[in-house]
Amino acid sequence: SEVGQGSNFQIYLPQVEGDVETKAAPAPDAASGGNETILLVEDEESVRQLVRDTLSAKGYDVLEADSGEAGLAAAGKHEGKIDLVITDVVMPGMGGRDLVKNLGKTRPETKVLYLSGYTEDAILTEGALEGGQALLQKPFTLQALSRKVREVLG
């Protein structure tokens, strides 16, 4: 090494005996999309837009509403099948659980994915949800959203 000239390094590694195994890099864990119809009910506009844009880009047909009451109205106007409802658990007015209960009267086959900023333990303790229901906690990544939607839809 010399000042102003830089440094020269030599690194010696042991030679490998036998054949070298090469492994392909794992594929990114991105859930594929679909063509199902999803009713998105979320009172936070920024979250609703992000979820809508993500799911629409993956090929889903997204109906959206900003409240439980608006969600029921949107479902009532939609003549086709609604495969999945994604709803916030806690919203002003009609919450997600009441929305799902009312929606189940006319669309019992619709699957449900709840979103919540509360922990799962807090939600179960407060009785907002029953165990075994699909829940995605906020904040979530778009990849986690895509995977969870695909998982719930089957």
Side-chain angles (χ1 to χ4, degrees):
S1 296
E2 293 181 35
V3 176
Q5 298 296 315
S7 299
N8 187 12
F9 295 93
Q10 292 182 354
I11 300 174
Y12 297 93
L13 300 173
Q15 186 174 5
V16 176
E17 294 182 22
D19 294 334
V20 177
E21 290 183 34
T22 58
K23 294 183 179 180
D29 190 18
S32 59
N35 59 359
E36 292 93 342
T37 299
I38 297 174
L39 173 61
L40 170 63
V41 184
E42 169 62 59
D43 61 321
E44 291 182 49
E45 184 176 357
S46 60
V47 175
R48 190 174 63 250
Q49 288 176 350
L50 186 63
V51 171
R52 177 199 62 218
D53 293 348
T54 299
L55 296 176
S56 293
K58 294 213 170 260
Y60 296 105
D61 181 25
V62 181
L63 311 171
E64 65 178 294
D66 62 359
S67 68
E69 295 85 359
L72 282 178
K77 291 177 187 173
H78 183 73
E79 295 182 13
K81 181 179 180 185
I82 297 177
D83 300 285
L84 174 68
V85 60
I86 300 176
T87 181
D88 196 347
V89 175
V90 179
M91 293 183 288
M94 181 186 294
R97 187 172 181 196
D98 290 335
L99 163 70
V100 169
K101 189 186 306 182
N102 284 303
L103 190 61
K105 294 174 184 174
T106 57
R107 297 177 181 267
E109 74 287 350
T110 301
K111 296 178 180 179
V112 180
L113 172 58
Y114 289 101
L115 304 178
S116 180
Y118 298 97
T119 65
E120 186 172 5
D121 288 342
I123 292 171
L124 292 173
T125 301
E126 292 298 319
L129 286 183
E130 297 169 10
Q133 294 179 313
L135 173 68
L136 185 61
Q137 289 181 268
K138 298 176 190 175
F140 49 81
T141 65
L142 300 180
Q143 292 82 8
L145 170 68
S146 298
R147 276 193 306 270
K148 194 68 170 183
V149 166
R150 204 59 259 156
E151 176 187 313
V152 173
L153 285 169

